[in-house]
Each structure stands twice: as structure tokens, then as C-alpha cells.
Amino acid sequence: MRHTESLALHERSTGRRCDGLGSGRLVKTQPSPLRSTLRLMRDGEGQPDHQTQVAEAVQRYWGFDALRPLQAEAIAAGIAHRDSLVVMPTGGGKSLCYQVPPVIAGRMDLVVSPLISLMKDQVDGLLACGYPAACLHSGMDAAERRDAERQIRDKACRLVFVAPERLISEQFQSWIEPLGIRAIAVDEAHCISHWGHDFRPEYRRLAELRDRFPDMSMHAFTATATPRVRDDIVTQLRLENPVVMVGRFDRPNLVYRIVPRTDVSRQVLDVVRRHPREAIIVYCITRKETETLAAMLAGHGIQAASYHAGMEPHDRKTTQEAFSQERLDVVVATVAFGMGIDRSNVRCVIHAAMPKSVEHYQQETGRAGRDGLEAECILFYSAADFMRWENLLRKSAQETDDPDETIAPQLVLLRHMQRICSGLRCRHEALSDYFGQPYDTPDCGACDVCMGEVTGMTDGMVTAQKILSCVVRAGQRFGVGHIVDILTGANTEQIRSFGHDELSTYSLLDDMPSKVVQNLIYQLVDHGMLERTPGDRPILQLSSKGAEVLRGERDVRLREPMAPKAKRTVHDTQSWEGVDRELFERLRAVRRDIARKRSVPAYIVFGDATLRHMAQIKPDTLDAMRTVHGIGDRKLAAFGQAFLDAVTIYLHEHNAF
Ligand code: ADP
Ligand code: ZN
């Protein structure tokens, strides 16, 4: 039996409104009234008050003191067998929403997950917390499989992770039939939608489970925000009167910066040096760029490797593992480095160029700071990026019947991204706005605009006029490179042969590096003062707006390309308050050792938030160790002593006893 009545009551009592998803309901995302939610969602299975049990389980297994927004509601839906869809940004804490219900309800639930690596990491992570879980996938050998099957048959686990293709097979379904499974969580549920970015046809067939197991509730989870994908999930999975919970898409712990690109190698190196020995992902457009930048960083003594779809699967796996075990700091990658990155302490995501949509940007920056601690997201932007993407899109659409029509929707996405890059609005606000959520904080304190790092050029108008006038004087027949050469006073064959060293604009901007002048020209293109002709050898021409600037009839604001030094944010300062950094580094080394010995990602041992807390309170007994954030019973037993020893030795060395 489904328990819809108690939920209907809950909906009325909290004033939820329909969000246009037919039967779906939208839950607002204020901190949850945990007690009332759980009381109202009592599922009739004999548990009068789940709140204490949930809190106790979360503390015992994971060592967390509180639930995050929406987790309580999502857990309650799971316990009550109410179909649900949870949309939360990456790092929002979706996993806990399906991990807790089977513990409270004394059940064994299924989880569908699209990637073997995701499954393995989840199970490893759960086992490390003492949570009984198993998985079944094609990468297991016969003995491992037998062992897992036995555990499942004995109902010795709370969660069983399976791949979608297995779950839809008749054989598997007959096998699980006698187990009486009552709930299934569909992770990365956007894979069901053509409109998502990782469409998986097998996901489409998951709805067949509804016919075979009519008593089983379905709980879908995704980070993809668009209403179209949400709609698709509800329809395709045939969710029945689901409760739809949409979290806030803003990630307050991310600091966004969008900086004019002048010298990308230099700029990337500077940022990487700002984060010594921390995890960083650098995103590039092409494979070649990933290799060049990785080699450049390695040449400066930084542990960096490239990652792209053209590499051998074995090499990709090696890189990914080294990164997750903290043996590698920087991965320079194309978009191919995506789902399955499990390192929760990525402290910086750098975009060497503009991504092709805001959705991509959100996904990629979403890999930063999953542990909730501060992380920096910096994008090096030039208006040239737009044209580059446009060319790439056109090339890939060449074979289609109507290339213009094919790329039209992609150009719209591209323009949205470009508007955010060239605009001067708070980045948090602009992103929230794009995803249809209001952002009410007047000063986010965590973006380049609000922190006052975006400065206009003091003599922007004059500089713009110099550039525009140069384009006109050269006859509007040349591309960006040549105009830069004239303005910076280059002595090239081409300059001499055209007699351009005689122009009055020759060497007018010779006090600026040529890459800076180039960036300024692209800014003028962005503002519509200059136009670039289409084709392989685009030339610059003055637009009517540009002519007005030249005549002094229109103002133009150029952004200072030489960005001031990045500031530290209040958030960052607070999260390090009282933390002994030297001890923190020691504890990281202990973590690295344990992770390597056990061949697991470092975060499975402990997250950064746990190590910072430990390096702050410096526990000197196991009891004190248990009070550290993120240490549950099992992890205390498994790792407590090793970390306690490290703290003790450190305290001795510093005569703190
Ligand atoms: P998602 O699947 O939504 O991307 P995860 O479930 O992986 O996010 O959770 C992200 C991080 O947040 C993990 O490190 C997890 O342990 C942590 N986390 C989840 N819930 C809580 C909580 N209630 N309190 C503290 N940390 C939490
Ligand atoms: Zn801001």
C-alpha cells in the first residue's frame, strides 16, 4: 500500500504549490522543519517518530550533526514509499537521501547507477562507514559476484547498486522477485532524457519495473535543473503523484571569477600557484590544448596530467585514480573528464576558455568544493571564444541537411554563456537567474564583481578610440593580429610592405603587451563596436556603434585586462579559522597513505572538512576524536588511532603537552 494520504496532509500544511509538472509538487527549500515533516510523513509501519532515528543513524554512520536542506523531506518520502524526484546541485547531498530510508525502515533497497566507477566508490564509501551495501556489475570476477549475490539473498545489505541494463533484464528481475524489494532509487536520473547531457537508452526501460513490481516506490535524483528534463524524468519513470523537491542551485562556497584572457599559460600558472598542493581541474576546448597546458605546468614542477577522450582507456583510468588518491594535483581536461570524478576536495576549477553553455559551466564548476568548503572557479574569457565555438559547431553540422537550423539552438546557449561572461552582474546572481531562481543577496562576497576585482580601464574611451581609428586607417581590410601589430609598433614584413609604420596609429599602444591589446579588441567586438567578417580569415570592420564612439557620441567601458590580485574571501578565512595548517598537511599525508594502502579514493577515508576540524581541535583521545565532524563509529574504529598518533606526535614535537 502507498502512503499518499499522510503526504497530502504534509503538502497542504506547508503550502506547496504545483510547479507545472502535472502531478508533481514543489517543495520550497528553506531549512526543513525536520520534526513536523517526519511526524506528518509517518508511514504507518510502526515507527512513531523517525526524527530521532534519522539523526542517530546519520551521526552513527557518517558523523554528521545535522541534515542539509531538503534531505529531511527526501528521506521522509523514501521511508513513506512516496515516489519522489529530488533535484539538487552537485555536492548537495543527494546520496544520503536514499541511504538513510532503508536503515530506518529496516529494508533492502535498490539503487540504479549509470557508471561502474560511481557504484564502486559509493559502495566503498558506505562500507568504510560501516554501512552494509553491495553492488553487482560486469566488472566483478566470479568470486566477488558470488559473494555479493549471497549477501543480497541473505538480505545482509541495506542498499544494492546495479547498472540499468542488469535491472531491466528478465533474469535479474526473476532473481530479485522473492526478495520483496520495496523501493528503488534512480541516481543520475537525467540519463533518462534526450534533453539531458548523458542520455542512456537503458534508463528509458526502467519504467517496466512498475508493471512487475507495483508495490515498489521510485525515487529519482539528479543535478540537472531544466524543467524539460524534470518533466521527462517524471513521465518516463511513470512516477505516481511524486513529491518533487528542487534545491537551490546557488553554491555559496564557490567563488566565481571571469577574467579577460590575455596570456592563458601565464594566467593558469598563476592560479595553480595560488592553490599549492590542492586539487585543480583545468578545462580546455581541445585535446591539444590539454596536452600543451599540462606539459607547461609539469615543466614548472607541478604534478599535472592531461585527460581527454582520445587517450587509451587504461591511461585515462590511471590518471583518474591518481587524482582521486591524491597522488596527482592537477588534471587538464576536455569535457570528457566528467561524471565519475569523486574527489570531494577539488579546490579550484579553471576554464581556459568559455564553455559552450551555462549548463556545461554549472556542471564543470560543480565539481569544485563538493565537501562544502570554499573553492575557486575562474574562467579566462575572450570574445574570440564565441567565434571559435561557432566555427566548431558549424563544422560538425556541415553534413546535416540544414546546418543553420541544426546549430541555431546551440548558438542560443552559447549566447547566454557569453552574456554572463561579458556582463558585469554578480556571478552568483546571474547563474541563479539563468536557472530560474531568484538571488536576493545584494553582495555575495564571493565573486569578482562583488569583491570589486572588476575594474574599468581608466582611459577606456581613449584606448577604444585609438583601436577603432587604427582599424579605419588601415582600410578595414585586416584581421586582429595585424591591427595588434600596428598598435604595438611591431616591425614585421607585412607592416613594412603596407607602409603601416607610417600610419598615425602606429605604436599608439606600445606600452601594452600585444595579448592585452588583442583582448581589448575582442572586448570591442563583444560590445558591437567592431565586427568580424565570417569565414576563415575574418577581418575587422567598424560598426555604426563604433563610428559613434569614434566621434565621441557614444560611451564605451573597457574592462582592465590586467586583473588585480585575487582577494581572499570572508568565507575562506572563516573556514580556516583556528586550523593548524601544518598539522592539516600532516593529516593529509596520513590520509594519502591509508588511501593508497586500501586502493580507495582519499575522500573515502576522510573529507577535508574532517581534517580541518581535526587540525583545529587537535583531539588527544579517541573519545575526543569521535566528536570531529564526519567521524562515525566505524571510521573511528578503522582510522581513529592512526590519526590520533599523528596528532600526538605533532603535539609532542611542538611541546604542546
Ligand atoms: P551529490 O550526490 O548531491 O553530488 P553527495 O551525496 O556526494 O552529493 O554529498 C556531497 C558531500 O556532502 C559528501 O562529502 C557528503 O558526505 C556530504 N554531506 C551530505 N550530507 C551531509 C550532511 N547532512 N552534513 C554534512 N555533510 C554532508
Ligand atoms: Zn557576487
Side-chain angles (χ1 to χ4, degrees):
M1 170 197 131
R2 295 262 166 84
H3 305 279
T4 44
E5 280 162 32
S6 53
L7 265 154
L9 174 64
H10 174 64
E11 275 152 23
R12 270 198 302 278
S13 70
T14 54
R16 274 185 222 151
R17 60 188 166 81
C18 199
D19 73 340
L21 275 174
S23 54
R25 299 282 188 276
L26 181 73
V27 171
K28 301 237 185 76
T29 58
Q30 295 93 342
S32 54
L34 187 61
R35 181 173 292 278
S36 64
T37 307
L38 290 167
R39 194 177 57 241
L40 287 163
M41 295 185 77
R42 198 178 303 164
D43 65 0
E45 287 185 0
Q47 297 300 337
D49 184 357
H50 291 133
Q51 186 207 3
T52 329
Q53 285 175 292
V54 170
E56 196 271 330
V58 167
Q59 177 52 244
R60 173 161 42 102
Y61 286 117
W62 293 277
F64 300 149
D65 294 333
L67 290 177
R68 293 203 180 140
L70 289 188
Q71 282 181 330
E73 288 91 339
I75 290 171
I79 296 173
H81 285 297
R82 169 73 190 267
D83 280 1
S84 59
L85 167 61
V86 177
V87 188
M88 258 187 213
T90 312
K94 289 182 282 298
S95 327
L96 211 65
C97 305
Y98 57 77
Q99 289 163 346
V100 175
V103 172
I104 307 301
R107 311 189 299 238
M108 181 169 75
D109 290 357
L110 293 179
V111 184
V112 190
S113 181
L115 285 185
I116 294 182
S117 61
L118 284 180
M119 260 186 243
K120 269 177 54 189
D121 289 337
Q122 283 248 14
V123 172
D124 286 348
L126 286 170
L127 293 177
C129 295
Y131 182 112
C135 55
L136 283 174
H137 59 73
S138 53
M140 296 163 86
D141 62 31
E144 284 173 331
R145 186 179 352 248
R146 262 197 311 277
D147 191 38
E149 284 174 355
R150 187 183 42 73
Q151 281 187 53
I152 297 166
R153 228 179 294 119
D154 295 349
K155 298 195 188 169
C157 342
R158 290 282 168 235
L159 279 182
V160 180
F161 291 76
V162 281
E165 46 280 13
R166 182 174 305 258
L167 194 53
I168 56 181
S169 81
E170 165 55 35
Q171 201 192 356
F172 183 76
Q173 291 183 8
S174 319
W175 187 72
I176 56 166
E177 192 138 33
L179 299 175
I181 288 173
R182 296 283 317 280
I184 176 166
V186 182
D187 205 5
E188 312 287 354
H190 56 275
C191 292
I192 209 165
S193 174
H194 275 302
W195 302 104
H197 41 85
D198 295 305
F199 176 60
R200 293 275 300 256
E202 313 83 62
Y203 263 66
R204 279 278 155 104
R205 295 190 43 206
L206 289 174
E208 293 168 16
L209 292 165
R210 306 241 79 159
D211 301 323
R212 178 128 189 190
F213 303 99
D215 278 345
M216 190 149 87
S217 57
M218 270 202 180
H219 308 276
F221 297 86
T222 181
T224 304
T226 59
R228 196 178 236 171
V229 173
R230 257 188 260 160
D231 263 339
D232 233 12
I233 294 173
V234 171
T235 320
Q236 298 285 343
L237 281 180
R238 291 177 22 210
L239 297 187
E240 219 176 276
N241 189 26
V243 55
V244 177
M245 290 160 263
V246 182
R248 279 203 65 85
F249 274 81
D250 182 55
R251 301 272 313 275
N253 60 320
L254 300 188
V255 177
Y256 296 105
R257 293 192 165 91
I258 299 179
V259 174
R261 183 168 70 245
T262 49
D263 180 349
V264 76
S265 292
R266 180 84 246 159
Q267 289 174 304
V268 168
L269 182 63
D270 283 350
V271 176
V272 168
R273 285 192 166 143
R274 254 204 320 263
H275 299 272
R277 302 267 23 228
E278 293 184 339
I280 300 174
I281 305 174
V282 186
Y283 280 108
C284 303
I285 298 180
T286 65
R287 298 172 182 185
K288 180 99 195 24
E289 286 162 343
T290 66
E291 286 165 1
T292 314
L293 275 181
M296 181 280 293
L297 291 170
H300 283 88
I302 290 154
Q303 290 180 357
S306 61
Y307 185 106
H308 55 71
M311 283 160 58
E312 291 295 325
H314 171 78
D315 294 340
R316 281 203 275 171
K317 190 158 170 259
T318 311
T319 303
Q320 180 144 353
E321 270 178 15
F323 188 64
S324 70
Q325 290 178 14
E326 305 218 329
R327 289 180 282 113
L328 177 67
D329 294 331
V330 185
V331 176
V332 188
T334 59
V335 288
F337 195 54
M339 214 160 48
I341 300 172
D342 48 40
R343 193 160 167 177
S344 65
N345 63 348
V346 173
R347 293 269 78 85
C348 178
V349 168
I350 302 175
H351 279 90
M354 178 181 86
K356 63 178 167 177
S357 71
V358 184
E359 283 83 354
H360 280 89
Y361 182 64
Q362 178 83 355
Q363 274 277 325
E364 287 154 16
T365 52
R367 298 187 179 117
R370 291 185 59 163
D371 52 12
L373 298 173
E374 179 171 281
E376 175 175 17
C377 302
I378 185 162
L379 188 165
F380 293 111
Y381 169 72
S382 156
D385 295 340
F386 183 91
M387 300 157 218
R388 232 176 121 203
W389 276 118
E390 190 178 357
N391 284 339
L392 288 171
L393 293 173
R394 269 190 205 290
K395 274 199 190 111
S396 67
Q398 243 164 19
E399 309 283 289
T400 61
D401 292 341
D402 187 347
D404 281 341
E405 196 185 67
T406 312
I407 68 166
Q410 291 164 305
L411 288 182
V412 172
L413 296 180
L414 202 53
R415 256 182 226 114
H416 278 297
M417 187 67 229
Q418 187 190 30
R419 213 164 294 142
I420 292 186
C421 289
S422 56
L424 291 178
R425 252 177 112 190
C426 165
R427 314 295 182 191
H428 283 271
E429 187 191 348
L431 287 170
S432 283
D433 196 29
Y434 182 82
F435 290 109
Q437 295 186 333
Y439 185 82
D440 304 325
T441 319
D443 170 5
C444 77
C447 83
D448 53 351
V449 177
C450 294
M451 293 192 294
E453 293 176 4
V454 177
T455 44
M457 276 184 94
T458 36
D459 47 358
M461 183 69 179
V462 177
T463 308
Q465 286 174 330
K466 286 178 182 172
I467 294 171
L468 297 174
S469 145
C470 183
V471 171
V472 173
R473 280 172 205 276
Q476 309 199 44
R477 289 186 294 128
F478 297 90
V480 177
H482 187 73
I483 300 296
V484 171
D485 281 349
I486 303 177
L487 286 163
T488 54
N491 182 11
T492 68
E493 175 59 37
Q494 205 184 1
I495 294 273
R496 286 192 302 273
S497 67
F498 284 105
H500 283 166
D501 43 354
E502 306 289 323
L503 290 179
S504 58
T505 51
Y506 184 71
S507 74
L508 261 187
L509 297 178
D510 63 358
D511 54 336
M512 292 182 191
S514 53
K515 288 186 171 165
V516 169
V517 177
Q518 186 181 13
N519 184 274
L520 295 173
I521 293 178
Y522 279 123
Q523 287 193 42
L524 289 170
V525 174
D526 235 358
H527 292 308
M529 314 291 171
L530 284 173
E531 276 159 11
R532 270 174 35 127
T533 56
D536 279 348
R537 312 205 62 189
I539 59 172
L540 288 174
Q541 294 179 331
L542 193 72
S543 68
S544 50
K545 265 188 182 174
E548 286 168 23
V549 174
L550 209 46
R551 292 195 298 268
E553 293 164 11
R554 177 189 275 273
D555 238 2
V556 62
R557 257 184 63 119
L558 289 178
R559 199 177 151 183
E560 175 59 62
M562 309 299 270
K565 255 194 137 29
K567 293 181 190 140
R568 287 189 58 201
T569 61
V570 179
H571 193 102
D572 187 37
T573 316
Q574 277 169 355
S575 67
W576 281 106
E577 209 162 274
V579 178
D580 184 327
R581 291 229 185 192
E582 193 186 336
L583 177 56
F584 175 75
E585 287 303 325
R586 290 265 190 111
L587 299 173
R588 273 184 75 186
V590 175
R591 174 173 71 180
R592 207 160 32 238
D593 270 359
I594 298 178
R596 193 173 323 187
K597 280 194 198 119
R598 298 186 169 225
S599 295
V600 294
Y603 86 97
I604 282 185
V605 181
F606 286 135
D608 275 17
T610 301
L611 296 195
R612 284 195 198 177
H613 193 202
M614 209 185 285
Q616 186 189 24
I617 66 171
K618 302 177 184 159
D620 54 2
T621 62
L622 279 175
D623 279 346
M625 193 60 94
R626 180 64 177 80
T627 65
V628 173
H629 168 89
I631 303 191
D633 291 346
R634 175 62 65 97
K635 287 197 178 176
L636 181 74
F639 314 125
Q641 193 61 48
F643 284 89
L644 186 61
D645 290 348
V647 176
T648 312
I649 292 169
Y650 181 84
L651 290 176
H652 268 296
E653 282 173 13
H654 290 74
N655 298 322
F657 276 116

